[in-house]
Amino acid sequence: MKKIITLLVLVFTAWLSQAQTATLKAGDAAPDFKLKNVDNKEVSFASFPKAKGFIVVFTCNTCPYAVAYEQRIIDLDKKFRPQGYPVIAINPNDPEASKADAFNKMQDLAKDKSYPFPYLFDAGQVVTDQYGAKHTPHIFIVSKTPKGNVIEYVGAIDNDPEGTKAEKTKYAEDVIAALQSNKKPIITQTKEIGCTVKRKAKA
């Protein structure tokens, strides 16, 4: 009987973990957060009172795909922040599992690359799990609505992770263009391409 109870507990724990990390999708409420930025100040959606929405990007220092998209993420912020859609970058990696993603390393990178957007540390991966971010980069485009912040798109920034295509489908830009025209995006989900989120080994 004791073994059966232990087995049931393990099964339930595994199920709960899976449920907590299910990726949010278009139409879902976007969880708010208050996380430490590389300037040591806390940032949340409320930090941008005039924003129409947000480009939430789970990214990191170390993943080759995140590095390849770094300039494109900077360009998204420079283009769309003045239009009401600022980038908010969140590092989902546990620093014990990926030492080069520690907070001080995030500060160094943000300073070196002159990030124009906040780069937030998700201690305990709480927000990562709320959104169900699985890879770096993993993007969630959010709009402000009368009912609160709502996710409009989840997935990749574009269809060119290697950065080699002369012509590419710019998913993020197309989504924001639709929202600015008061239309629902045609594409609301794509497969994100990147490194898996690094998690601390369980004892």
Side-chain angles (χ1 to χ4, degrees):
M1 185 68 179
K2 193 173 182 180
K3 287 183 178 179
I4 294 174
I5 292 173
T6 301
L7 182 62
L8 288 173
V9 169
L10 289 172
V11 169
F12 177 75
T13 301
W15 174 84
L16 186 61
S17 175
Q18 180 87 14
Q20 288 173 334
T21 58
T23 303
L24 297 180
K25 59 186 184 301
D28 288 341
D32 203 350
F33 47 79
K34 187 176 286 186
L35 298 175
K36 185 168 69 169
N37 188 21
V38 287
D39 63 2
N40 287 304
K41 296 179 181 177
E42 289 187 328
V43 170
S44 68
F45 287 146
S47 303
F48 302 87
K50 295 183 179 180
K52 300 174 184 176
F54 308 92
I55 305 170
V56 179
V57 184
F58 290 86
T59 188
C60 68
N61 290 16
T62 55
C63 172
Y65 290 99
V67 173
Y69 271 105
E70 184 177 52
Q71 186 58 51
R72 279 175 272 182
I73 294 170
I74 292 171
D75 291 342
L76 280 175
D77 185 72
K78 288 182 176 179
K79 180 174 182 177
F80 291 110
R81 179 162 38 99
Q83 299 177 35
Y85 291 87
V87 164
I88 301 176
I90 299 173
N91 184 352
N93 287 343
D94 187 288
E96 289 188 31
S98 179
K99 297 188 185 306
D101 284 309
F103 184 68
N104 65 313
K105 300 296 186 183
M106 292 171 56
Q107 290 177 309
D108 292 342
L109 180 64
K111 182 178 180 180
D112 182 55
K113 297 300 178 73
S114 300
Y115 280 0
F117 47 76
Y119 187 27
L120 310 181
F121 177 62
D122 184 16
Q125 301 176 309
V126 174
V127 177
T128 300
D129 288 344
Q130 287 178 332
Y131 277 78
K134 297 290 195 299
H135 296 87
T136 52
H138 199 165
I139 189 170
F140 296 75
I141 294 180
V142 176
S143 65
K144 284 185 177 180
T145 77
K147 296 181 180 180
N149 296 317
V150 175
I151 292 172
E152 301 284 359
Y153 169 82
V154 178
I157 292 170
D158 57 37
N159 67 339
D160 186 19
E162 286 81 20
T164 57
K165 295 181 179 179
E167 297 292 330
K168 63 190 74 177
T169 303
K170 299 181 178 180
Y171 302 124
E173 294 197 22
D174 291 347
V175 168
I176 294 174
L179 295 175
Q180 289 177 321
S181 299
N182 295 317
K183 297 177 182 177
K184 283 294 181 183
I186 295 173
I187 297 175
T188 60
Q189 183 174 350
T190 60
K191 175 61 180 172
E192 75 284 356
I193 303 296
C195 306
T196 56
V197 170
K198 301 299 181 288
R199 295 184 177 276
K200 182 169 55 179
K202 294 183 179 180

